[in-house]
Amino acid sequence: MKKNLYLSVALLLAGMLTRCQDNTAEFSPGASDPRIIGTWRLVERLYQSDSAYYRIDSVFVKGGTRIDSSLVNGIYVKDSVFVKDRYVKDSIRITKTIDVIRQYPGTPAQTLTFAPDGKLSAIGSEMTYYAPIRYFRVDSTSQDSLGVNLYITTNRATVPFRQRVAFRADTLLLLPRCERACYSMFLRTR
């Protein structure tokens, strides 16, 4: 009886362990567009940055009679107090979004490498946005613009998101979706 119980538990555990294997296939977007293949170095970015500052201002407060209460020997005593006209200083936080254009030197290199098999690799401290992205595919199906689908894998699901692309000679312009104009400009290095 005990042998049957131990054998049943062992078989149950063995069955559970074999089902826990990760048997998902490696994602591959396939061959890529030859225009984007190669290594591209970041040279310029236009992005929005929030700017906040405080401004000290004075506000006029009209005087008058105000009811005040105080605790005296455990009993609340109400009293009316006359308050003079006065100015009260106040700080106001002003927040606005400004456009920032930042140019990047050749060293340390900030690069994106688009491989012929559809793999993407990013190198550099300014390329952290692209670091989790492993695959890409150029998408020319849109009528108004050329785009690139960037694939991010999370929780065993590969999800694409699209950025517009523009080519000018050896310059690549990635145009992500922003509230206002923004871009990342790259030069081909190889």
Side-chain angles (χ1 to χ4, degrees), residues 170-185:
D170 280 344
T171 303
L172 166 70
L173 212 58
L174 290 179
L175 304 157
R177 292 183 182 164
C178 300
E179 290 179 13
R180 299 195 322 230
C182 63
Y183 63 83
S184 294
M185 183 186 300

Side-chain angles (χ1 to χ4, degrees), residues 54-61 87-93:
Y54 289 91
R55 182 178 184 135
I56 305 294
D57 198 4
S58 296
V59 178
F60 179 75
V61 178
Y87 284 94
V88 176
K89 285 189 177 181
D90 193 9
S91 62
I92 302 169
R93 181 175 184 192

Side-chain angles (χ1 to χ4, degrees), residues 9 13 16 23 94 100 103-104 114 118 129 163 167:
V9 170
L13 287 174
M16 288 172 47
N23 54 6
I94 299 171
V100 177
Q103 295 185 340
Y104 296 89
F114 295 90
Y129 178 79
Q163 287 189 357
F167 294 101

Side-chain angles (χ1 to χ4, degrees), residues 1-57:
M1 182 77 160
K2 284 187 177 182
K3 287 183 182 181
N4 288 340
L5 178 66
Y6 290 133
L7 182 61
S8 299
V9 170
L11 288 173
L12 179 67
L13 287 174
M16 288 172 47
L17 290 175
T18 58
R19 290 185 186 177
C20 288
Q21 294 177 354
D22 184 17
N23 54 6
T24 56
E26 177 79 14
F27 174 79
S28 175
S32 182
D33 190 308
R35 293 175 287 183
I36 201 169
I37 301 301
T39 301
W40 300 84
R41 181 177 60 85
L42 179 66
V43 291
E44 184 177 287
R45 252 180 53 194
L46 169 67
Y47 59 95
Q48 287 83 41
S49 180
D50 288 336
S51 173
Y53 59 93
Y54 289 91
R55 182 178 184 135
I56 305 294
D57 198 4

Side-chain angles (χ1 to χ4, degrees), residues 66-141:
R66 181 177 81 169
I67 305 249
D68 192 18
S69 63
S70 59
L71 187 62
V72 178
N73 293 331
I75 301 172
Y76 280 102
V77 177
K78 288 186 178 181
D79 191 11
S80 60
V81 178
F82 179 74
V83 179
K84 295 185 200 179
D85 293 346
R86 65 191 187 283
Y87 284 94
V88 176
K89 285 189 177 181
D90 193 9
S91 62
I92 302 169
R93 181 175 184 192
I94 299 171
T95 305
K96 65 180 181 176
T97 302
I98 58 172
D99 291 335
V100 177
I101 295 178
R102 181 165 177 203
Q103 295 185 340
Y104 296 89
T107 55
Q110 312 293 323
T111 62
L112 284 179
T113 301
F114 295 90
D117 61 353
K119 292 190 177 178
L120 175 71
S121 61
I123 298 173
S125 60
E126 293 294 323
M127 305 309 293
T128 56
Y129 178 79
Y130 297 99
I133 300 164
R134 298 287 176 242
Y135 304 101
F136 74 97
R137 184 177 215 39
V138 174
D139 179 14
S140 58
T141 59

